[in-house]
Structure formats: C-alpha cells, structure tokens
Amino acid sequence: MVRNITLRRGALIARISLVLTGMCIATGCELEGGLNQNQHTSGNEEDGVSLSIGDIAIDPWGTYFISNNEDQIIYGDIEKGIVSILPDVEEAHRLAFGSPGKIYFTSSMDYGQLIAYDVNKKVVEWKKNIFLVDLIFENWQMSYPLIEVTGKNQQLVLTDPSRLRVLSIENGAILHDLNFERNIIDVDLHPDGDRIIVTLDHAWHGDVPNTDIVVYSMALKTKTTIAVPNCSDELVLAAQGDMALLAPTRCIQENGDENDPVSVIDLATLAFVRNLPGFGPTAVTVDQETAVAFMDLDNLDESLFDSPEDIPTDSSCRYHLMFIDVKKLKFDTLKIGDNLPRYTITPSGQILLVDADAWFEDARIRLLDIPTRTLYMVAGPDVRLNDYVITSDSRRALLLDDGLYDLSVLEKIVSSIPLPFTPTNLNITPDDTTLLLREEENLLWTYDIATQKILLPITLGSESS
C-alpha cells in the first residue's frame, strides 16, 4: 500500500521526488490527500511568498500588491488601480514583507541577490549576493533560498538545501550561518522570537528511521539535536510552541513495510516524547490545543495504542480523521471514507473544509465541525479547493474551478459567481472586502466581495498614473 503526499507550498527537496513519482496500485493511481495548502492569503507565508507566473502577493495591510509581467516586477495600488514597474529588480523568485513599504526579494540577477526594497520611494536600500539554486522537476520549480522574516521584523532567515543563514534586516549582514550534513526539510520560527527549529532529512538505521530536529538559539548560539524515530516531513508547532508534531504521509522501508506514526516532541524540555498511531500530515486548530491527523485501518501499528480497547474495530471505511489533544496526548477518530481526503482548517479553528483532488462519488466538499465531530455535505456545484481564499471570519471561501465560486460555510452551499471572464489566479485583501482576480498575463481586476461586482481593471503591461 502506497500513499501519496499532497504537494505543499514550500515543501523541500526530500519530499519532491515522492510527489512526482506517485505510484499506482492495482485499481489505479492512489489519490493525493492530506493537508490542503492551495489557500492564498495576504501578507507573509511560510518559506516566502512565491512570485511564480500569475501569483498575486498582497501586503499585510492591503494597500498594494506585487505581481509579475515577464521579467518585470509590478507594484499596484489596490484602491486606485494605479501600477508601476519597480526599477532595479528583475527575475524575482520570492519575497517577504517587512515593515510598511519594505520588501525583501530573492532574485536570480547576478547569480543571485537578496534585495531590500522601499516600494514607496521605488529604490533599492541594499543588496546582498546570495547563492540561488533552482530545482526543476518536470513542470514544477522550487527556487532557493527560501525567505522568512522573524518576529517584529528583526532578521531575515534564508534557507538553502543544507544551509541556513540569519541576516540583519538593516543591511544584510550575516548574523548566523548554519550548515548541515543532511538536507533541510522544514524550518520553523519559534514564537519566543529566539529559537529556530530545523527539521533535517531522515536516515535509516536498520528498519528504523531517524529524523534529527535541530533547535538553534540565536541568543546563545547553541544547537540542540532531538532524535525522532520517524521519517522527516513538515514539523507543526502546537501548544503555543511547547510541543511539536512530526507526521509523514508515507515512510516505507526497503522491504515495503510502512512506518509513519505521529511523533510528539516536547520543545520545553527538548526531548522526544512518544509516537502515536496514525499518519500525517498534521495541522493544529487556532488555539493550538487540538491536532488533526489521519488513521488508516489497513495499516495500524497496534503497539502504539495505550490500550487494546482504543484500537478502532469498525472496518466499514478505511480512513479516519484523528483529533489529538496535544497536552493529554489522547485522541478520538471519525470515519471519513475509503479514499484519502485532503483538508484545511478555517481561521476560526472550528471547521475543516474537506475534499479530494479527484472526481469520484465522495470527493466533493464537505464541512466538518471539529467540536461536535459532525460531518456535513455541501450543496451546489461539484467543485474542488484547488485555488481558494477563506475570509478571516471563516464564513466564506471563494474558489476558482473553471470560474469563481462562493462557498457559504454557514449555509453549507456553493454558488457560482457570474463573471465575463474565467480567472486564473486570485488573492484577498486582509479586510476581506476585495478580491484580486487575474484574467490574463497583463490584466487584473478588483472585485467587491459584498456586492459581487467587478470594480477596476488593472493593466500590468504599462505604467499608469
């Protein structure tokens, strides 16, 4: 039995080959499932905001957007619809927003540069030469370094395949430079503003995998390594940074046996706690007290249950969702179907949006109320959450699926929104009032969500005033 992982925004090198070499079973290719990361938001994203073709980055305050047109980087005033080309920055791959008006670009110019830019003055504040790596697999590209801004805009964190640098946000000076013998799978910035948590690619010791999680203190300049008996994947912080969960979607030995539990790490004591049955990926609710994972009744490690009475016996469906109390490490499950779904947690932390990246009977969108463990079907057109935004009040999701659709979470219904064109990309302002919709390479539209009306055309091909 083989499970495919969902391709995530920011997934690193060791996971890419698993996605692109998805294997098939006798009944056909098995479905991708897990945490759905096709959501777009304003402001910063983990690993940096992509500037791939069509992407629309919106600043954290909703005043302007950044996009691209060929090799030109476009700045646009959202309210006025006025655009300009940012001089002295080309071929930008990723960006991170700093304080108002400040952007940090990674660019392939001159073999790789980090560019600090003031969009109000349209000037480069400083440049730093960096080593830029492009990893290309078929039609999908990951560009390094990844970029993040630490809390309160104090430093920049650049991540290469096996190197991590922390730079001054004022002048680009390197403050910390860490090199690792194994590839970096994930980087997390701890809420304390000091620690950086680096998850490295796993190694096999006989039939047991081992993932090293390195906790680096910038203040003390010390590294602590936590050995976790599991395959590597994205690390998820919980309980306000006191705990972490590591749960791969597939971890297969050479003999074909699968070993992919949910590993619990105590970041207060810097120690591995235990493995729970199930598999990932995991996500946590907004209060960080409940984690969501999966359980496969066809592949259970019964030794990981505290009591034989806890082992599910209802075999009417294969996959269950797990709801884990991250402090007590107790869990309950809910039957979800015979095909591995994908899910996303709404900003309220109370609702899961569940669907699947395929067309079959039970793949359409469903809503799961986490507190009551109640699953609801969604009425309306059969669409998928392949390209979507969610309002901050968790009441609506707007999605693209050969057209624009509005999912009302309260009414549990999807409605088609008529437009004179078919959008290819979208994003939403942080106040939930406006969508930016891309019609084609050179043209965006602003769209008022409340009135469901198109507002302004924004042409990206030339500057406006």
Side-chain angles (χ1 to χ4, degrees):
M1 188 274 295
V2 176
R3 290 190 291 264
N4 290 341
I5 66 175
T6 298
L7 182 60
R8 306 174 186 180
R9 297 176 182 277
L12 300 187
I13 182 172
R15 294 190 300 235
I16 296 171
S17 60
L18 296 180
V19 177
L20 298 178
T21 58
M23 299 174 64
C24 294
I25 58 176
T27 56
C29 288
E30 206 166 323
L31 301 170
E32 293 185 0
L35 185 61
N36 186 333
Q37 295 195 353
N38 296 323
Q39 180 182 355
H40 303 279
T41 63
S42 58
N44 285 316
E45 299 178 5
E46 187 177 6
D47 300 335
V49 182
S50 172
L51 283 178
S52 297
I53 295 174
D55 286 339
I56 307 167
I58 298 178
D59 80 303
W61 302 274
T63 57
Y64 66 89
F65 71 88
I66 300 293
S67 192
N68 50 50
N69 180 31
E70 297 180 347
D71 291 336
Q72 296 175 331
I73 304 303
I74 306 296
Y75 167 93
D77 183 299
I78 294 175
E79 182 178 1
K80 299 177 181 178
I82 297 174
V83 301
S84 58
I85 298 169
L86 296 185
D88 302 318
V89 54
E90 301 173 10
E91 299 177 358
H93 293 254
R94 297 178 180 275
L95 67 82
F97 293 104
S99 57
K102 306 293 184 179
I103 300 181
Y104 304 90
F105 293 99
T106 62
S107 171
S108 58
M109 290 191 299
D110 299 328
Y111 304 101
Q113 290 183 340
L114 174 65
I115 301 172
Y117 206 93
D118 186 320
V119 297
N120 294 322
K121 299 178 180 179
K122 305 294 190 298
V123 297
V124 173
E125 294 192 329
W126 52 262
K127 293 182 180 180
K128 180 77 175 182
N129 291 328
I130 56 176
F131 180 60
L132 187 70
V133 181
D134 289 337
L135 300 175
I136 301 177
F137 294 86
E138 297 182 358
N139 296 320
W140 185 80
Q141 178 174 306
M142 165 69 74
S143 297
Y144 291 84
L146 311 181
I147 182 170
E148 293 187 68
V149 178
T150 63
K152 298 182 180 179
N153 301 326
Q154 296 299 309
Q155 293 97 19
L156 295 166
V157 178
L158 299 184
T159 302
D160 287 299
S162 60
R163 181 187 184 189
L164 184 145
R165 287 167 286 178
V166 181
L167 283 69
S168 166
I169 211 163
E170 298 298 328
N171 54 24
I174 297 177
L175 306 176
H176 308 269
D177 195 346
L178 308 177
N179 290 275
F180 302 92
E181 295 182 359
R182 304 193 67 82
N183 283 327
I184 297 171
I185 300 301
D186 190 31
V187 173
D188 293 276
L189 307 180
H190 196 275
D192 64 13
D194 172 49
R195 288 180 288 175
I196 300 176
I197 305 164
V198 182
T199 303
L200 301 179
D201 193 9
H202 61 266
W204 288 91
H205 301 289
D207 59 356
V208 178
N210 178 80
T211 294
D212 282 342
I213 296 176
V214 179
V215 182
Y216 179 73
S217 168
M218 291 186 285
L220 301 176
K221 296 185 177 181
T222 58
K223 291 193 293 186
T224 302
T225 300
I226 306 169
V228 178
N230 203 348
C231 283
S232 55
D233 206 288
E234 185 172 352
L235 193 73
V236 177
L237 303 189
Q240 286 67 53
D242 288 341
M243 307 292 289
L245 300 170
L246 176 67
T249 304
R250 63 180 297 203
C251 180
I252 302 176
Q253 305 172 29
E254 290 185 1
N255 63 9
D257 291 342
E258 196 158 8
N259 183 0
D260 50 0
V262 179
S263 297
V264 182
I265 300 101
D266 189 324
L267 293 177
T269 62
L270 299 179
F272 167 71
V273 178
R274 63 170 295 185
N275 280 337
L276 297 172
F279 66 97
T282 58
V284 296
T285 54
V286 68
D287 61 6
Q288 298 198 12
E289 301 298 323
T290 302
V292 180
F294 289 106
M295 187 175 288
D296 181 358
L297 267 60
D298 287 357
N299 183 43
L300 279 183
D301 186 346
E302 296 184 357
S303 68
L304 297 179
F305 288 85
D306 290 333
S307 170
E309 297 177 353
D310 297 333
I311 302 174
T313 58
D314 184 350
S315 58
S316 61
C317 73
R318 177 176 176 178
Y319 292 110
H320 291 219
L321 280 172
M322 296 177 63
F323 302 92
I324 305 167
D325 184 317
V326 298
K327 291 185 177 179
K328 298 178 181 178
L329 299 186
K330 301 294 183 181
F331 59 87
D332 60 280
T333 66
L334 178 72
K335 295 185 295 183
I336 201 69
D338 290 325
N339 295 284
L340 183 60
R342 60 184 179 180
Y343 64 89
T344 187
I345 296 180
T346 59
S348 69
Q350 302 298 304
I351 299 292
L352 286 183
L353 303 182
V354 182
D355 77 338
D357 187 17
W359 298 96
F360 59 92
E361 184 177 357
D362 62 349
R364 64 186 301 131
I365 298 173
R366 289 162 285 174
L367 304 179
L368 175 62
D369 185 287
I370 296 176
T372 65
R373 308 294 196 260
T374 304
L375 189 64
Y376 299 96
M377 297 299 295
V378 171
D382 187 2
V383 293
R384 297 290 179 270
L385 294 165
N386 294 326
D387 203 1
Y388 65 95
V389 297
I390 303 176
T391 58
S392 57
D393 61 8
S394 301
R395 291 174 176 264
R396 304 172 74 178
L398 295 120
L399 61 107
L400 301 183
D401 195 338
D402 289 328
L404 179 63
Y405 293 86
D406 186 350
L407 165 61
S408 170
V409 174
L410 294 179
E411 297 177 351
K412 304 175 184 62
I413 188 170
V414 171
S415 302
S416 175
I417 299 176
L419 293 175
F421 63 95
T422 300
T424 60
N425 302 80
L426 85 167
N427 207 342
I428 189 170
T429 55
D431 60 5
D432 296 333
T433 63
T434 306
L435 288 181
L436 289 184
L437 300 173
R438 193 164 198 143
E439 178 179 358
E440 55 191 34
E441 182 179 356
N442 297 330
L443 182 62
L444 297 177
W445 294 87
T446 57
Y447 173 87
D448 185 87
I449 295 174
T451 63
Q452 295 192 344
K453 293 182 178 180
I454 294 174
L455 300 177
L456 292 173
I458 302 177
T459 302
L460 305 184
S462 60
E463 298 196 25
S464 56
S465 58

